[in-house]
Amino acid sequence: MKQVYLNGTFLPADEAKVSVFDRGFLLGDGVYEVIPVYNGHCFQLTGHLARLEQSLAGVRMNNPLSQAAWQKMIEALVDKNGGGDQSIYLQVTRGVAPRDHVFPVGVTPTAFAMSNPLVAVPEKYKIEGIAAITLPDIRWQNCDIKAITLLPNSMLRQQAQDQGAQEAILIRDGHLTEGAVSNVFIVKQGHIFTSPKTTEVLPGITRELVIELAAQADMPCVEQEVSETALRSADEIWVTSSTKEILPVTILDDVPVGIGKPGAVWQQMNALYQHYKQNVAAG
Ligand code: PDD
């Protein structure tokens, strides 16, 4: 039986219970992280824990565990679930309190973690690329906080699914923000661009790594606003996330992107990323 972590204890998944008065359940009042694990080794754990800290601060919640305690707990959870490749999900909610919009005082946060299978990225996506559609970014103005309140993202991702696409790329005031479940990069004449870190986008851990790898390899990469026009005339479009890595978008709104195949810059970046990942997996 799969083991989960709940408020200081490891227990079988079907024994883990949370009160119906938990603010996560009633108000979506919580934050989360998704951390890939390769061959028993957590990928970019420090970055994920730092972002969790920022998300908690952003919603005025205390971190129930120190960074060291999170790390120890996550490593134990990975072991208890058999090592190998996993996807670790962490969630912290404000805790159990009578329903009220105002934050309760003196309440203990609910801390939960589970291991899910890490579904390998289909080879087809890397050979052919994926299809995406553009949609208006209907989300709130604090998208830098990784909040569990994902109904808008879920609706956008579902619209993409309904249209046979794998991701929705979001447009706000004439510029690109990010994907429903990913960050977005474009390539134009060999230069890589991605939206800057503002409250309109999640500071993605994969995004950060791509920027670092580009710098190390002397690949020009700029964090600046990308107009919808620039998006539509891009030579390449990529979407990045912890579970999907870096995926080339080869069809946007039914129109081929660039040559309609994964581009040369993506090939180079994906090779750098896979090499980095293999080093992590090797410990
Ligand atoms: N989501 N932007 C949004 C809106 C996301 O939901 C995600 C990832 C990202 C990429 O962030 P990172 O590189 O840190 O995974 C950007 C996760 C995987 C999820 O909700 O399951």
Side-chain angles (χ1 to χ4, degrees):
M1 167 57 73
K2 196 166 115 169
Q3 293 282 307
V4 301
Y5 168 90
L6 184 61
N7 299 327
T9 313
F10 292 101
L11 70 174
D14 62 355
E15 289 173 24
K17 301 278 185 290
V18 179
S19 163
V20 292
F21 296 104
D22 194 282
R23 288 178 61 96
F25 180 61
L26 292 177
L27 299 159
D29 184 359
V31 299
Y32 76 106
E33 281 297 326
V34 178
I35 306 161
V37 176
Y38 301 111
N39 190 31
H41 301 285
C42 292
F43 194 68
Q44 306 298 89
L45 183 59
T46 311
H48 282 282
L49 293 179
R51 185 174 63 189
L52 177 66
E53 186 78 45
Q54 280 167 19
S55 294
L56 288 164
V59 297
R60 292 162 59 182
M61 232 187 260
N62 290 330
N63 196 337
L65 296 177
S66 67
Q67 302 286 311
W70 275 115
Q71 182 165 344
K72 197 164 163 239
M73 181 279 281
I74 293 165
E75 284 167 0
L77 185 67
V78 168
D79 281 352
K80 284 175 192 296
N81 287 286
D85 291 357
Q86 302 180 23
S87 171
I88 295 294
Y89 176 88
L90 309 178
Q91 176 171 312
V92 182
T93 73
R94 204 176 301 273
V96 177
R99 186 178 179 280
D100 186 350
H101 287 65
V102 173
F103 298 158
V105 177
V107 167
T108 309
T110 302
F112 171 64
M114 65 177 161
S115 164
N116 290 317
L118 182 66
V119 180
V121 179
E123 274 309 301
K124 187 175 180 268
Y125 290 175
K126 295 187 181 180
I127 295 163
E128 295 172 12
I130 62 165
I133 58 167
T134 54
L135 287 174
D137 194 341
I138 53 166
R139 303 170 305 156
W140 67 336
Q141 303 282 356
N142 296 97
C143 294
D144 55 323
I145 297 171
K146 201 162 171 60
I148 61 171
T149 331
L150 287 175
L151 193 51
N153 303 62
S154 195
M155 288 170 74
L156 292 161
R157 178 66 187 85
Q158 184 60 42
Q159 263 178 275
Q161 177 90 358
D162 293 346
Q163 295 187 37
Q166 281 75 44
E167 179 59 309
I169 292 182
L170 309 179
I171 307 291
R172 194 189 283 268
D173 302 330
H175 64 267
L176 159 74
T177 54
E178 59 179 340
V181 292
S182 62
N183 290 111
V184 178
F185 289 75
I186 69 157
V187 177
K188 189 75 188 169
Q189 291 169 339
H191 287 65
I192 310 166
F193 299 91
T194 193
S195 311
K197 279 201 271 185
T198 64
T199 54
E200 291 183 350
V201 302
L202 185 76
I205 304 302
T206 320
R207 173 192 178 280
E208 207 60 44
L209 179 57
V210 165
I211 292 169
E212 269 172 45
L213 293 173
Q216 284 166 21
D218 283 329
M219 296 166 79
C221 181
V222 186
E223 296 174 65
Q224 71 174 43
E225 195 173 282
V226 174
S227 69
E228 182 176 355
T229 315
L231 173 72
R232 293 196 187 281
S233 63
D235 300 328
E236 300 183 23
I237 301 175
W238 317 334
V239 293
T240 65
S241 83
S242 294
T243 46
K244 296 285 173 8
E245 307 179 353
I246 314 167
L247 289 180
V249 176
T250 47
I251 301 176
L252 184 68
D253 293 332
D254 294 325
V255 177
V257 177
I259 56 168
K261 289 195 293 201
V265 185
W266 174 80
Q267 303 282 3
Q268 194 185 345
M269 178 51 73
N270 187 50
L272 294 170
Y273 188 89
Q274 296 306 327
H275 179 73
Y276 184 94
K277 191 179 127 180
Q278 276 159 17
N279 283 341
V280 172

